[in-house]
Amino acid sequence: MLNNDFQMSITAGEQERRDEMAAGNRMLGRVVACSGSRATICATAEGGETSLTELWAVGRLVSISVGRNRIVALVYSMATNQQGWIENQDTTFHVEVELMGEVRVSADGREDFSAGISEYPYLGAIAHRIRSSDLAKVYDTGKDDVCTIGKLTQDEQIDATIHVPSMLEKHFAIVGTTGVGKSTAVTLLLHKAIQADPQLRVLILDPHNEFASAFGDLAMVIDTDTLDLPFWLFRLEEFAEVIFRGRPPVPEEMDILRDLIPEAKRAFRGSPESGLMRRTSEKSSITADTPVPFRVADLLALVDERIGRLEGRAEKPHLRSLKSKIMSAINDPRYHFMFSSNTITDTILDTIARIFRIPGDGQPVTTFQLAGIPSEVVNSVASVLCRMAFEIGLWSHGGVHMLVVCEEAHRYVPADPNLGFTPTRQAIARIAKEGRKYGVSLGIITQRPGELDPTILSQCSTIFAMRLANDRDQDIIRSAIPNSSSSTTSFISSIGNGEAIAFGEAVAVPMRMRFTRVDMNRLPKANGTGNIHTEETPQSVDLRSIVARMRSVAGPDISGFQSSYLAARNTSAAATSGYEDAPYEDEEDYIDTLQAAAQKAPQPAAHEPYRPDMLPGAASAYQPPANERFDSIRRELAPEPRRPEADLYRQPPRPAFGEQQEPRREGSIREQLLKKPLSSLIRR
């Protein structure tokens, strides 16, 4: 095979046709085997030269001439016929290629690329380097509104373009191991998406607080210091995730919340209707999941009311436990964004407008920093945001085009159904399955696609696969790529930083490309040692401020809550009798008790003291009086002053016959029974 004159590669864009055997031709090899989707090409390196063999690198495209058409094939494997390379002698090698499509030449001379193959290569068909014009046709999406995101790895002079509307309409995913440039690629794609659709609203769930610097004036940054996410926006399961601190909820306490939260919401609205009208008109419209404001003070007052009732003795331990959990959450400074003074009014319009940038005021991006939120409620917060994003698109009839970007998505929708938070999984899955009908798009970013729910990944029609080292992760991506391009992932474990294999709806065919570099002032910056720029040093840093933030010393201001709780408790106490809890002397006494409720640990039950009648053989020596039952009732109704420990169980001397007995101070049993609440006797 004569290739003496092809010592230098032909420049990009050369399209003139030459005779197959003329000097300077493109002929590099011939087809020696072919199957339905693959072919084998045999070529020779004359005199041990490697100038031509460089064009057969894995991942490159080659062209096979069949009549007037040219079949495009992807190189995925190559090997020599012998064990070694022979210097200064001809070396024959075989190249395995995968057939991707063909460039068809119509009768009028127009050339177009098609993914199908009309005529397969015959044995002896000539294989040569692909023309730059053919390469551009292969990756041409055929649409006008495309964006350039980089360059092709095979030819740096050809732009890598994507169709942004197709990428957003059916969701997209970016996968790759740590440090390959996923965050930079996300920044580039989001900037291109905003340029293509200025009406787009982007919500980024940022668990590492790294996207705040990536969008500049285009983004509104929300962190725990500037966040007001009212607790009443949470559904019952999401609210329970906060109250129970990520632990499985107690079914009895969940039933109590399900019954009392709607009553607290109706109390906030101040419904004047009677009980019958409430049952007929409001119970069907207000549930524990309805995003209607209510006060935690009203909820706790309702819990206290149930504790004070005579019936329901079995549920009172659950009521007390639920009350302590709610008080613990309220007094936790980390939950300030949920229980601050700004969250006890109806601020749903302001909250939605601020988080989802409606109308936006020139800032279409919201970076929601999750690093400062307690880990046990991160899933609950993500569930609220994803659910509200879908509902905004649903009830606006597609008027608001929303894009939700989930960084580290395998945290929220893990592959194991027993892990993760079910409402979060359902909210993200609903966007993935139904979001395109209402203008809500989903962007998935993860470094472990093997740990991601396969249902979510299968709904992403465009995938940018960066370097993956884990075999399981590679298998997941291979299963998502069409069979006609399955060999594309054979080199996914060795591509460089900033490179990706893009495939799906937004590109014409799977392409290996390199993302355009982002400006330094737009790079995502996490709080790592390599990215952070600060004047603080180990010698000048203030450890006191660090410890203060660790301890969250600056607690939430709950004075308004305490006042409302006290007023609600007094109101319910006036309408209800039989409280078991002792009344408080004044408001200050009650507030002190309220603040200590979350920190008060349950005291162990006291052991029963020793009595002489407990000794073996002492049963006959100890004879209780005949009226012991009545004496015990008297002691309960009017307890006497505590005696010294040695005289606890000594029986008082009875008066001799004829002696005058001292008058009883406690009055008759009947009078004391009328004064004492019946609950004390019912407990016995």
Side-chain angles (χ1 to χ4, degrees):
M1 196 170 300
L2 302 178
N3 295 297
N4 297 332
D5 296 333
F6 198 91
Q7 300 298 327
M8 298 181 63
S9 60
I10 302 177
T11 59
E14 183 181 7
Q15 301 182 18
E16 68 274 10
R17 301 178 182 273
R18 295 191 177 97
D19 182 74
E20 295 179 357
M21 303 302 294
N25 60 31
R26 294 188 182 86
M27 188 182 69
L28 298 178
R30 292 185 181 271
V31 176
V32 296
C34 182
S35 62
S37 60
R38 298 183 178 183
T40 303
I41 299 173
C42 180
T44 302
E46 297 181 352
E49 292 291 335
T50 59
S51 57
L52 296 181
T53 59
E54 294 176 0
L55 303 177
W56 297 101
V58 171
R60 289 183 174 269
L61 296 181
V62 296
S63 180
I64 303 175
S65 298
V66 180
R68 299 184 62 187
N69 301 335
R70 297 180 296 277
I71 296 178
V72 179
L74 174 69
V75 177
Y76 68 90
S77 176
M78 54 187 177
T80 61
N81 287 350
Q82 52 272 15
Q83 295 295 328
W85 187 268
I86 304 177
E87 297 290 343
N88 301 323
Q89 295 185 18
D90 295 349
T91 301
T92 303
F93 54 92
H94 289 83
V95 180
E96 302 292 336
V97 297
E98 186 174 46
L99 308 180
M100 299 181 61
E102 65 179 357
V103 178
R104 296 179 181 177
V105 182
S106 58
D108 58 355
R110 182 179 178 179
E111 298 181 349
D112 296 310
F113 175 77
S114 173
I117 297 177
S118 59
E119 186 178 357
Y120 283 90
Y122 52 88
L123 295 181
I126 297 174
H128 52 80
R129 175 188 178 181
I130 191 171
R131 303 173 181 176
S132 295
S133 59
D134 290 350
L135 197 61
K137 292 183 180 69
V138 169
Y139 295 112
D140 184 11
T141 60
K143 301 174 183 178
D144 297 332
D145 50 344
V146 295
C147 296
T148 301
I149 60 172
K151 299 291 184 178
L152 295 181
T153 302
Q154 181 167 346
D155 193 335
E156 293 288 343
Q157 297 185 6
I158 299 180
D159 293 334
T161 60
I162 61 171
H163 187 236
V164 174
S166 299
M167 180 186 73
L168 298 181
E169 181 182 0
K170 297 182 179 180
H171 319 304
F172 69 95
I174 300 178
V175 300
T177 189
T178 303
V180 298
K182 294 191 303 297
S183 300
T184 305
V186 172
T187 302
L188 176 64
L189 291 177
L190 293 184
H191 276 288
K192 296 296 182 180
I194 295 172
Q195 295 174 5
D197 185 6
Q199 304 301 323
L200 180 67
R201 295 296 179 264
V202 182
L203 173 64
I204 305 176
L205 301 182
D206 186 7
H208 302 303
N209 297 0
E210 59 182 346
F211 287 101
S213 61
F215 298 95
D217 297 336
L218 294 176
M220 167 67 72
V221 180
I222 298 179
D223 55 13
T224 53
D225 296 331
T226 60
L227 172 63
D228 285 325
L229 190 64
F231 60 90
W232 45 265
L233 284 178
F234 289 55
R235 288 189 172 180
L236 178 60
E237 291 183 345
E238 298 162 350
F239 185 70
E241 181 80 359
V242 178
I243 297 301
F244 292 94
R245 309 296 182 96
R247 295 187 296 270
V250 180
E252 292 80 5
E253 299 179 19
M254 283 290 290
D255 293 339
I256 296 171
L257 287 175
R258 188 176 291 106
D259 294 340
L260 296 185
I261 288 180
E263 296 185 22
K265 293 179 178 179
R266 285 191 288 269
F268 180 84
R269 296 178 62 182
S271 301
E273 294 88 350
S274 62
L276 178 61
M277 295 182 65
R278 285 201 304 268
R279 287 193 295 270
T280 57
S281 63
E282 288 192 356
K283 276 197 171 181
S284 60
S285 59
I286 296 183
T287 65
D289 296 334
T290 307
V292 175
F294 70 95
R295 291 182 291 266
V296 181
D298 294 337
L299 179 62
L300 288 175
L302 292 171
V303 173
D304 286 337
E305 180 183 350
R306 283 204 176 187
I307 292 177
R309 291 179 181 175
L310 297 179
E311 67 277 4
R313 179 182 179 185
E315 70 174 357
K316 292 184 180 179
H318 301 293
L319 288 167
R320 294 191 181 94
S321 175
L322 178 61
K323 179 181 176 181
S324 65
K325 290 184 176 70
I326 296 175
M327 294 301 305
S328 177
I330 293 172
N331 287 279
D332 195 333
R334 301 178 303 165
Y335 296 164
H336 178 65
F337 66 93
M338 293 179 55
F339 300 105
S340 66
S341 58
N342 298 331
T343 60
I344 60 175
T345 57
D346 193 354
T347 58
I348 186 171
L349 294 179
D350 296 337
T351 301
I352 293 178
R354 185 167 183 267
I355 294 178
F356 297 99
R357 312 309 306 151
I358 302 173
D361 299 329
Q363 294 180 315
V365 181
T366 302
T367 59
F368 203 100
Q369 298 186 347
L370 300 175
I373 298 178
S375 59
E376 59 266 22
V377 298
V378 165
N379 288 332
S380 185
V381 173
S383 175
V384 173
L385 297 176
C386 294
R387 175 174 52 81
M388 292 177 61
F390 180 84
E391 291 178 352
I392 290 173
L394 172 64
W395 299 116
S396 67
H397 304 287
V400 180
H401 188 189
M402 192 78 61
L403 171 61
V404 180
V405 179
C406 294
E407 177 73 72
E408 302 291 348
H410 58 274
R411 295 183 177 182
Y412 313 118
V413 280
D416 189 352
N418 297 323
L419 301 177
F421 186 44
T422 302
T424 308
R425 179 192 299 271
Q426 293 174 348
I428 296 178
R430 192 178 185 189
I431 295 177
K433 296 176 182 178
E434 307 175 25
R436 62 184 181 88
K437 302 177 183 177
Y438 309 105
V440 184
S441 305
L442 181 65
I444 296 295
I445 296 92
T446 179
Q447 58 182 338
R448 293 302 306 272
E451 297 180 0
L452 184 69
D453 187 356
T455 304
I456 304 297
L457 188 61
S458 64
Q459 298 294 329
C460 298
S461 61
T462 303
I463 297 180
F464 298 89
M466 307 184 80
R467 184 170 69 246
L468 291 170
N470 188 277
D471 293 338
R472 181 184 176 189
D473 297 335
Q474 296 177 19
D475 293 339
I476 295 294
I477 299 302
R478 291 191 186 98
S479 62
I481 292 182
N483 292 332
S484 59
S485 304
S486 58
S487 61
T488 308
T489 58
S490 59
F491 46 89
I492 198 172
S493 61
S494 58
I495 58 178
N497 291 345
E499 282 191 79
I501 300 173
F503 57 92
E505 295 287 339
V507 297
V509 295
M511 64 177 178
R512 180 178 176 182
M513 47 81 61
R514 185 184 299 275
F515 286 105
T516 302
R517 296 186 63 87
V518 180
D519 296 338
M520 291 298 297
N521 59 345
R522 289 291 182 265
L523 286 176
K525 295 176 181 146
N527 293 330
T529 56
N531 295 326
I532 190 168
H533 300 281
T534 178
E535 298 179 357
E536 295 291 342
T537 62
Q539 288 76 23
S540 62
V541 69
D542 186 6
L543 285 180
R544 293 183 180 86
S545 62
I546 296 176
V547 173
R549 293 183 64 87
M550 292 171 58
R551 293 177 174 175
S552 300
V553 173
D557 182 14
I558 60 172
S559 58
F561 157 74
Q562 291 171 341
S563 301
S564 60
Y565 181 29
L566 186 63
R569 180 184 175 90
N570 294 337
T571 302
S572 61
T576 309
S577 60
Y579 276 99
E580 290 185 358
D581 295 340
Y584 298 95
E585 296 180 358
D586 54 11
E587 181 178 354
E588 183 178 358
D589 181 26
Y590 180 72
I591 291 177
D592 294 339
T593 306
L594 193 68
Q595 293 176 340
Q599 303 176 357
K600 185 177 180 181
Q603 299 296 329
H607 296 284
E608 184 179 2
Y610 156 78
R611 293 203 314 263
D613 61 300
M614 293 181 177
L615 293 175
S620 58
Y622 176 75
Q623 297 294 337
N627 58 349
E628 181 182 13
R629 177 183 178 187
F630 295 99
D631 289 340
S632 62
I633 295 177
R634 292 191 190 98
R635 287 194 299 270
E636 180 181 354
L637 295 179
E640 297 178 357
R642 186 178 181 86
R643 299 177 180 179
E645 192 67 21
D647 299 331
L648 273 176
Y649 301 99
R650 179 181 299 174
Q651 295 298 318
R654 300 183 63 84
F657 180 79
E659 284 185 346
Q660 185 178 1
Q661 190 172 358
E662 294 182 2
R664 294 210 313 263
R665 290 171 296 177
E666 68 272 18
S668 64
I669 297 178
R670 181 175 180 276
E671 294 175 353
Q672 293 299 326
L673 289 177
L674 292 177
K675 294 180 181 180
K676 185 68 176 178
L678 295 178
S679 58
S680 59
L681 298 181
I682 293 176
R683 285 198 302 270
R684 297 188 59 84

